[in-house]
Amino acid sequence: MHSKMLILQLASLLGICGFVDARTPLYVGALFEFSEHWFKDYTPFFPKIIEHAVKGIQNRTDILQDYDLQIEYGDTKGQNGYAATQMIEMVQGKDRPKIAILGPSLSRELIVTGQLAPFLKVIQLSCVATTATTENEDLYPTVFTVNQVPHTLDKLRVEMTRYFGWKLIGTLAFQKEYSTSQIDSFHKHLNIIKDADIELVATAIVANNSNIKYAIERFKENNVRIIHAVFSSTYAPYVFCEAYKQGMYGNSYVWILSGPNMYKDWTNKASLTDCTEAELVTASDGYFTLDYHPIGQTEVTTVNGQTAQDIWNDLEKQAQKQNLTLVTYTGWIYDMVWALAIGLNNSLKYLDQSGLNRYNYSDYYLNAITAGMKDVDFNGMSGRVNFAGTRFRKGDSYIERNKEGGNSRTYIASFLLDNSTYGNESYNFILKNDPWPDGWPLDRFMTKYTLISTNGVAFGLVLAFLTAGLIMSGAFLAFNIYYRNQRSIKMSSPVMNNVIISGCILLYVEVLLSSFSYYRVMKTDTCMIRTWMMAIGFTTLFGALFSKTYRIYAIFRDGRLKLKIIKDYQLIAKVGVLLAIDSIILIPWTIFHPQVMKEFSELDKKIENKNVLHYTVYLHCNGDYEVYWFGILYIYKGLLLVIGTFLAWETRTVHVAELNDSKFIGACIYNVVVICVFGVPLAHVLSVQQMTISFVLNSCLIIFCTTICQCIIFIPKIRNRNQVHGKFIIPSLNASSSDCSRRFTKNSYADDSRVICTGQNTTEEKSMEDIKEENETLRMQIAKEAIAMAKLRKTLLDMTGDLHIYKSNDKYVVFRKNTDNGLQESNVDFA
């Protein structure tokens, strides 16, 4: 009995041994950082995780039932070149050909070893590295990534942008491989998805911390509010410190970052920046991170028959026995082994009946295994593992909103792979918590422009003054036309007076256009029109006034009264010459550098709204090189005033008010110069924002100067319009006596009146006061003549001793006393 039992047990044992030995070993190389590099602190438990997964595979009868996975480990020491050397040595072991390589963990090591894999005819599986460089099919055709690398979050980035209705975005990355590779992948994805309707407004690659300022400035200048960024926690303090300084934070801005690169407590590094920790927390408040669940979140049974949490618990117990802590990568490491096993199992359908028994480094096996790996799809510890015909893990991801520098995170949305879809990617975006219940931020600020006009009260007052000035001009013009045949008005040249009033009206109209333009009553651009009217009005007013004075000056030049005729059309021609000079200045100004109505916008900082920017808009006339053009115009007008001052001074002793306006000219020039010296520079210095002050100042300067000039010139004419003058004796310019008088008859006009030297009075009837005044003047002249004759006699006697002079009737007689022959007389006619 006992012998039979022993035989049965021995047979059973031999059967088991035979079964085990019947399995073909498949050698797998594993490269990790077990020494020297800082990542060595996370790798000690990696072999136990892999061992646990291999045991689970061996318990399955439908996965590699005829094969046995055997793992050989190599230490990369965290060095790229050393990792490549270790990989080559593993593959070159001819007695144990490696059917696959697991690892390494670091991205820079994977970039090097991944390029060697296709030349070594071996596939490679990654479970930790986050680089997106391996996306390049030409360089990395045999590299499969089991962990959900950040660049596979591109679809989630797009879906989130679509969901919240954003179309304008910016991207920011640092000049690090993990960062630039992810951003480049996102850019490529945007180019592929044409229907995404997402526009990349601005992108920035930061070389070092000193360049962050310019990147943020670029986003601000381009009005970018939705920023997709990839940087590690190391650079986060510098980025958000600059964002704080430039005000790019709060509910108006959305920062979407890569979760795998952001760790908690990064705000503790505030001392490395110019900001405090509180400022960093404020600037980063509410930033979003896109990430994956390294451990499955559902109670779905995994490929080994347990839930994800059960597997975690088993591994955690083993780790505690060794005083180790499970890393977040545990689920991806565990699933990496299962993905390899299922991929190899899938490859059997692409191979002949020998399967993997005669595996070698050939294209035949490499192509079959690669095809089998792309068919991988299972529920693992980290969730659903699905390559969907690619080399990258497709799985669930999620969005979190971070508070307190990432120490507090709120689950916002999930991005789940549709379980009913195999071989094709299909995701469901599910919003769990709305981060903005009061309204989502917009991708670009809505701008509201408020056009500022002049103050209504100021506009009304200026309009009232302007109306009074225009009425006054109309009244003066009507008076000048109605009384044009009155002697006093006729003598003052009514035609030239009308020209003066026309100039005043032009200046008033310029103010009227300016008022309508400033108050937006009229939308037409009137800048150059107003400049033309101001220049022409000024020249017409003072040009006509100075031309009248020029006529008096020409008649009384050199201190002598001359017989000279200067008609009104000649004076108008002189005004035309002055206007032609204006045209010579204004025409090229208008053609080459015209003033145009421009808008000046200023952000109203008092109004805060997360979606609306309020701008205050000011309209003002501006043109290229306008300072120089105004300078030329002012110089010309200044010279014109100098000429007028000279004429007024030269004719100051001509005292007939009807003819001479020299005193009035002096008063006009004085008022204009005094007002303009203070007003014009101030008007040009005032800022655009001081629109009302500038408008009132400019308008009042023109209205006041024009009104004063009108009153000074025409009010005396109105006052004297009914006076009948009898005195027309005009002294010469040097105030010497003269018996010349000017005769004006009823039928004569001021423009062809003649100065006639006669001893007769005018034929007009004289008043008693005029006669008395004329008699007094004649007496004074006679007295002066007698005094002059006495001085002449005395002078002759002093010079000759015996030469005498006396007046006989209307002749002067000179005689010499001769003691021998009496008197010797000589008649001299001095008439």
Side-chain angles (χ1 to χ4, degrees):
M1 182 74 176
H2 289 288
S3 60
K4 289 183 179 180
M5 290 293 297
L6 182 61
I7 293 171
L8 288 174
Q9 290 177 0
L10 184 59
S12 176
L13 181 62
L14 291 173
I16 294 173
C17 293
F19 175 78
V20 172
D21 292 338
R23 288 197 173 199
T24 303
L26 298 176
Y27 299 101
V28 178
L31 299 173
F32 295 108
E33 302 74 16
F34 293 113
S35 64
E36 296 188 14
H37 194 267
W38 61 266
F39 199 74
K40 71 180 185 303
D41 297 335
Y42 300 96
T43 59
F45 198 66
F46 283 12
K48 290 295 182 180
I49 299 173
I50 295 174
E51 180 183 339
H52 193 281
V54 170
K55 287 182 179 180
I57 294 169
Q58 290 176 342
N59 291 332
R60 292 286 295 264
T61 59
D62 58 338
I63 301 175
L64 297 180
Q65 60 180 346
D66 298 327
Y67 302 94
D68 180 29
L69 294 179
Q70 296 187 14
I71 314 299
E72 294 184 8
Y73 294 93
D75 183 9
T76 67
K77 299 182 180 180
Q79 300 177 24
N80 307 349
Y82 199 80
T85 302
Q86 288 288 304
M87 182 174 178
I88 294 172
E89 289 178 355
M90 279 185 172
V91 173
Q92 285 180 345
K94 298 298 182 180
D95 54 335
R96 290 184 169 186
K98 303 302 182 293
I99 201 167
I101 300 295
L102 306 181
S105 305
L106 303 182
S107 295
R108 61 174 181 267
E109 294 176 332
L110 181 63
I111 291 173
V112 175
T113 58
Q115 295 183 58
L116 291 175
F119 295 99
L120 298 174
K121 307 295 184 179
V122 66
I123 65 167
Q124 187 172 5
L125 280 76
S126 172
C127 61
V128 178
T130 60
T131 180
T133 304
T134 55
E135 186 181 20
N136 190 322
E137 185 70 25
D138 295 331
L139 293 177
Y140 306 93
T142 63
V143 175
F144 291 84
T145 305
V146 178
N147 60 308
Q148 293 166 297
V149 294
H151 85 269
T152 58
L153 293 168
D154 293 342
K155 290 184 181 295
L156 177 54
R157 289 184 184 274
V158 171
E159 191 61 31
M160 180 181 181
T161 304
R162 283 177 176 173
Y163 188 89
F164 290 109
W166 302 322
K167 296 183 178 180
L168 305 174
I169 64 172
T171 60
L172 172 66
F174 276 74
Q175 206 166 24
K176 302 291 183 180
E177 193 282 329
Y178 74 89
S179 182
T180 55
S181 62
Q182 292 181 46
I183 285 298
D184 288 342
S185 175
F186 180 53
H187 291 172
K188 292 176 183 177
H189 191 69
L190 289 178
N191 292 331
I192 294 172
I193 305 177
K194 300 298 182 182
D195 61 338
D197 198 21
I198 299 174
E199 179 184 349
L200 184 60
V201 178
T203 183
I205 302 295
V206 180
N208 50 60
N209 294 336
S210 61
N211 298 131
I212 297 175
K213 174 183 177 182
Y214 306 107
I216 302 298
E217 286 177 350
R218 185 176 182 184
F219 290 143
K220 194 170 184 179
E221 289 171 359
N222 288 277
N223 197 14
V224 176
R225 300 181 65 190
I226 313 301
I227 304 170
H228 289 269
V230 179
F231 49 78
S232 68
S233 303
T234 304
Y235 300 103
Y238 302 98
V239 173
F240 284 107
C241 180
E242 191 60 41
Y244 181 84
K245 292 178 182 178
Q246 299 195 32
M248 290 191 66
Y249 63 91
N251 288 335
S252 296
Y253 295 90
V254 180
W255 289 81
I256 304 171
L257 309 181
S258 175
N261 301 113
M262 294 294 295
Y263 300 102
K264 296 181 180 181
D265 298 326
W266 59 265
T267 54
N268 296 339
K269 302 293 181 63
S271 58
L272 301 176
T273 69
D274 298 332
C275 300
T276 64
E277 184 173 352
E279 289 172 341
L280 291 183
V281 171
T282 300
S284 64
D285 184 57
Y287 73 87
F288 294 88
T289 50
L290 310 183
D291 212 336
Y292 308 97
H293 292 295
I295 303 298
Q297 300 297 299
T298 65
E299 296 298 322
V300 175
T301 302
T302 65
V303 69
N304 78 337
Q306 295 178 290
T307 64
Q309 189 61 47
D310 290 339
I311 301 173
W312 178 273
N313 293 337
D314 291 344
L315 292 172
E316 189 174 36
K317 290 177 181 178
Q318 295 183 41
Q320 288 175 352
K321 292 179 180 179
Q322 300 180 27
N323 294 324
L324 297 174
T325 302
L326 287 183
V327 294
T328 55
Y329 318 112
T330 298
W332 292 327
I333 299 170
Y334 184 85
D335 289 343
M336 174 179 63
V337 182
W338 275 96
L340 174 61
I342 294 173
L344 292 175
N345 193 73
N346 292 337
S347 69
L348 296 176
K349 61 186 176 182
Y350 299 105
L351 298 171
D352 57 24
Q353 294 181 352
S354 62
L356 297 170
N357 293 326
R358 293 195 296 263
Y359 170 79
N360 56 55
Y361 301 116
S362 65
D363 291 334
Y364 172 72
Y365 284 104
L366 182 62
N367 293 337
I369 295 174
T370 300
M373 288 298 302
K374 291 182 179 181
D375 292 339
V376 168
D377 190 344
F378 67 96
N379 288 319
M381 184 180 178
S382 61
R384 186 179 177 187
V385 180
N386 180 286
F387 287 115
T390 67
R391 297 178 295 106
F392 292 93
R393 161 82 174 274
K394 309 298 180 183
D396 301 339
S397 54
Y398 64 94
I399 304 172
E400 285 184 325
R401 196 178 192 200
N402 295 257
K403 298 282 187 177
E404 300 176 5
N407 293 321
S408 173
R409 298 180 178 180
T410 303
Y411 194 87
I412 298 299
S414 60
F415 194 57
L416 305 178
L417 187 65
D418 189 352
N419 289 328
S420 63
T421 304
Y422 289 86
N424 294 311
E425 293 179 67
S426 179
Y427 292 87
N428 296 317
F429 185 90
I430 303 172
L431 186 67
K432 300 292 184 180
N433 296 293
D434 192 343
W436 304 286
D438 297 330
W440 300 340
L442 302 180
D443 57 1
R444 176 159 291 190
F445 286 107
M446 294 177 61
T447 53
K448 183 178 180 180
Y449 294 95
T450 303
L451 188 61
I452 299 299
S453 300
T454 56
N455 181 271
V457 175
F459 174 75
L461 290 175
V462 169
L463 205 60
F465 294 147
L466 181 60
T467 302
L470 285 170
I471 292 173
M472 184 181 296
S473 295
F476 287 148
L477 183 62
F479 166 81
N480 197 62
I481 294 174
Y482 186 79
Y483 291 102
R484 65 186 181 278
N485 292 324
Q486 280 276 353
R487 185 184 64 178
S488 60
I489 303 302
K490 183 184 296 183
M491 291 173 62
S492 67
S493 184
V495 173
M496 298 308 295
N497 289 340
N498 291 342
V499 175
I500 292 173
I501 295 173
S502 299
C504 294
I505 292 174
L506 282 175
L507 291 173
Y508 284 134
V509 172
E510 190 278 333
V511 176
L512 184 64
L513 288 177
S514 176
S515 301
F516 288 163
S517 179
Y518 272 106
Y519 206 66
R520 302 307 295 154
V521 176
M522 183 171 57
K523 303 297 179 66
T524 307
D525 190 341
T526 60
C527 292
M528 283 310 298
I529 296 175
R530 286 157 45 193
T531 302
W532 275 80
M533 296 186 74
M534 182 178 66
I536 293 174
F538 184 92
T539 301
T540 303
L541 167 60
F542 286 98
L545 185 61
F546 297 161
S547 296
K548 286 177 57 179
T549 307
Y550 171 76
R551 177 159 54 190
I552 305 303
Y553 169 75
I555 293 173
F556 288 93
R557 188 184 301 169
D558 299 330
R560 296 189 302 272
L561 195 61
K562 299 179 181 179
L563 181 60
K564 191 169 185 178
I565 300 174
I566 300 178
K567 295 188 176 183
D568 283 345
Y569 74 84
Q570 293 175 290
L571 301 182
I572 293 175
K574 296 183 185 301
V575 176
V577 172
L578 298 177
L579 292 176
I581 298 175
D582 273 321
S583 299
I584 292 173
I585 298 173
L586 293 172
I587 289 175
W589 186 359
T590 304
I591 294 175
F592 298 109
H593 308 118
Q595 282 188 305
V596 294
M597 187 68 72
K598 293 185 178 180
E599 294 184 356
F600 174 79
S601 301
E602 184 178 51
L603 180 63
D604 190 348
K605 297 182 180 179
K606 297 180 181 179
I607 303 175
E608 295 183 358
N609 188 297
K610 67 179 181 180
N611 289 328
V612 181
L613 289 178
H614 294 266
Y615 281 93
T616 302
V617 180
Y618 301 90
L619 295 177
H620 67 112
C621 290
N622 186 265
D624 297 333
Y625 307 105
E626 66 173 13
V627 174
Y628 303 105
W629 288 111
F630 270 119
I632 295 171
L633 198 62
Y634 288 153
I635 290 172
Y636 167 54
K637 302 303 179 185
L639 291 175
L640 185 61
L641 292 178
V642 170
I643 293 172
T645 304
F646 168 76
L647 294 175
W649 176 261
E650 289 296 314
T651 59
R652 67 189 183 281
T653 57
V654 179
H655 299 297
V656 179
E658 290 81 353
L659 297 177
N660 190 20
D661 292 326
S662 60
K663 290 187 294 183
F664 304 148
I665 291 174
C668 291
I669 292 175
Y670 175 79
N671 283 282
V672 169
V673 170
V674 170
I675 293 173
C676 291
V677 162
F678 294 99
V680 172
L682 185 61
H684 285 285
V685 168
L686 289 175
S687 64
V688 177
Q689 294 90 330
Q690 296 172 300
M691 174 181 285
T692 299
I693 298 176
S694 179
F695 163 70
V696 171
L697 180 62
N698 290 331
S699 300
C700 289
L701 281 176
I702 297 174
I703 292 174
F704 183 77
C705 290
T706 305
T707 303
I708 289 295
C709 290
Q710 280 191 123
C711 292
I712 290 174
I713 294 170
F714 291 103
I715 287 179
K717 300 184 188 306
I718 295 175
R719 185 187 61 202
N720 297 328
R721 70 183 185 278
N722 292 323
Q723 292 185 9
V724 180
H725 294 278
K727 184 186 79 168
F728 291 97
I729 299 176
I730 306 172
S732 63
L733 293 180
N734 59 9
S736 63
S737 61
S738 173
D739 63 347
C740 297
S741 64
R742 187 167 190 176
R743 178 182 301 165
F744 293 90
T745 64
K746 289 183 178 180
N747 297 324
S748 64
Y749 294 93
D751 62 319
D752 67 346
S753 58
R754 300 170 182 268
V755 178
I756 305 172
C757 291
T758 67
Q760 301 177 0
N761 293 327
T762 178
T763 58
E764 294 286 342
E765 184 180 356
K766 299 180 176 64
S767 65
M768 289 300 296
E769 292 183 1
D770 292 336
I771 293 173
K772 289 180 181 179
E773 185 176 354
E774 185 176 348
N775 289 338
E776 183 65 27
T777 301
L778 292 173
R779 290 192 190 96
M780 291 296 295
Q781 289 180 349
I782 292 171
K784 288 180 180 180
E785 185 178 359
I787 293 171
M789 287 300 299
K791 290 181 179 180
L792 182 58
R793 291 191 188 99
K794 185 175 181 304
T795 301
L796 288 173
L797 285 173
D798 291 340
M799 293 177 63
T800 61
D802 59 355
L803 194 62
H804 299 267
I805 184 173
Y806 69 95
K807 184 177 182 182
S808 175
N809 295 327
D810 58 347
K811 295 183 178 181
Y812 291 94
V813 179
V814 179
F815 67 92
R816 179 186 301 158
K817 185 176 180 181
N818 191 334
T819 54
D820 296 331
N821 302 322
L823 298 174
Q824 182 179 358
E825 185 175 308
S826 174
N827 295 330
V828 181
D829 189 0
F830 290 105

